[in-house]
């Protein structure tokens, strides 16, 4: 049940949504798209404790977000083929993060980027800033801020091996820097 006509709808399916940013933006041109990104070191450390497809960095057999995805550009399908063919899971994870972040950069004019660390540090300020930039009413923003629970962004670098960190830094540093991360 909706409380008002300006209710927020948030869903999470980053692999599918990231592969379909263009189509989502074109299908719903007046709907804002928030893209939450996290430092690749913490993201990948989190993946090592998550769902199997993230732990193993296997894109799966689905057509969305894999080298078989007909809606991705040829270069992107080639990048995914390289990721899928990589034998080393640590390198595969870094390549995958870099690919997903690259999709965000490709669509930077269609999305509003929210850094996870900024949101965790001050969720109310982040929500107010994003909400204001998206044209939400102060009342709607305040209603959401009142419901928020505190968050903590955890630095997970110590959970990764030196090789994993080196792989992430070597593969992701340039892309990560575009989002303000120094890995």
């Amino acid at each position: 049940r909706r409380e008002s006509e300006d209710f927020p709808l948030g869903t999470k399916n980053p692999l599918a949504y990231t592969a379909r940013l263009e189509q989502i933006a074109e299908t719903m041109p007046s709907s804002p798209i928030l893209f939450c990104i996290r430092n690749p070191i913490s993201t990948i450390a989190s993946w090592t404790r998550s769902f199997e497809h993230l732990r193993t960095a296997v894109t799966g057999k689905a057509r969305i977000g894999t080298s078989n995805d007909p809606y991705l550009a040829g270069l992107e399908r080639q990048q995914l083929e390289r990721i899928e063919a990589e034998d080393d899971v640590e390198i595969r994870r870094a390549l995958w993060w870099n690919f997903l972040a690259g999709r965000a950069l490709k669509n930077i004019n269609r999305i509003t980027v929210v850094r996870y660390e900024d949101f965790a540090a001050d969720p109310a300020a982040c929500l107010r800033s994003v909400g204001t930039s998206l044209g939400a009413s102060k009342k709607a923003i305040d209603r959401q801020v009142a419901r928020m629970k505190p968050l903590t962004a955890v630095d997970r670098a110590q959970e990764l091996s030196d090789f994993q960190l080196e792989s992430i830094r070597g593969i992701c540093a340039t892309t990560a820097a575009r989002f303000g991360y120094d890995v």
Side-chain angles (χ1 to χ4, degrees):
R1 210 173 88 197
R2 296 188 321 233
E3 290 180 13
S4 68
E5 290 303 313
D6 65 345
F7 76 101
L9 172 64
T11 63
K12 179 183 175 186
N13 190 340
L15 305 177
Y17 291 158
T18 302
R20 291 291 184 269
L21 283 172
E22 295 91 340
Q23 292 83 8
I24 293 168
E26 290 167 10
T27 303
M28 300 182 294
S30 63
S31 294
I33 300 171
L34 301 181
F35 189 97
C36 185
I37 193 155
R38 189 176 186 188
N39 178 310
I41 292 172
S42 292
T43 300
I44 292 169
S46 174
W47 287 354
T48 65
R49 300 178 331 280
S50 187
F51 301 106
E52 183 178 349
H53 71 284
L54 296 174
R55 282 193 315 272
T56 60
V58 174
T59 59
K61 295 182 172 120
R63 287 181 51 137
I64 297 176
T66 68
S67 60
N68 296 317
D69 191 329
Y71 292 101
L72 290 175
L75 177 61
E76 291 170 319
R77 287 193 308 274
Q78 289 172 359
Q79 290 171 326
L80 285 167
E81 284 175 1
R82 177 175 177 229
I83 295 167
E84 292 162 1
E86 175 57 52
D87 289 332
D88 191 293
V89 68
E90 286 85 5
I91 293 172
R92 201 166 49 241
R93 283 190 205 111
L95 288 168
W96 205 11
W97 183 94
N98 204 56
F99 173 80
L100 295 170
R103 291 281 301 139
L105 290 173
K106 178 180 180 181
N107 289 280
I108 200 75
N109 62 327
R110 301 172 189 249
I111 62 177
T112 299
V113 174
V114 177
R115 289 177 11 134
Y116 175 83
E117 295 80 4
D118 297 338
F119 185 74
D122 193 347
C126 189
L127 185 59
R128 282 191 170 90
S129 174
V130 169
T132 300
S133 72
L134 298 175
S137 70
K138 182 180 180 332
K139 181 179 177 182
I141 295 169
D142 288 344
R143 188 171 51 243
Q144 294 307 313
V145 167
R147 294 179 180 161
M148 296 181 77
K149 296 178 180 156
L151 299 171
T152 303
V154 178
D155 178 8
R156 303 215 177 267
Q158 71 282 359
E159 297 174 15
L160 300 175
S161 69
D162 289 343
F163 177 74
Q164 289 173 304
L165 290 170
E166 185 179 322
S167 297
I168 293 167
R169 289 180 177 124
I171 294 168
C172 303
T174 301
T175 304
R178 301 273 308 270
F179 291 101
Y181 294 118
D182 180 21
V183 295

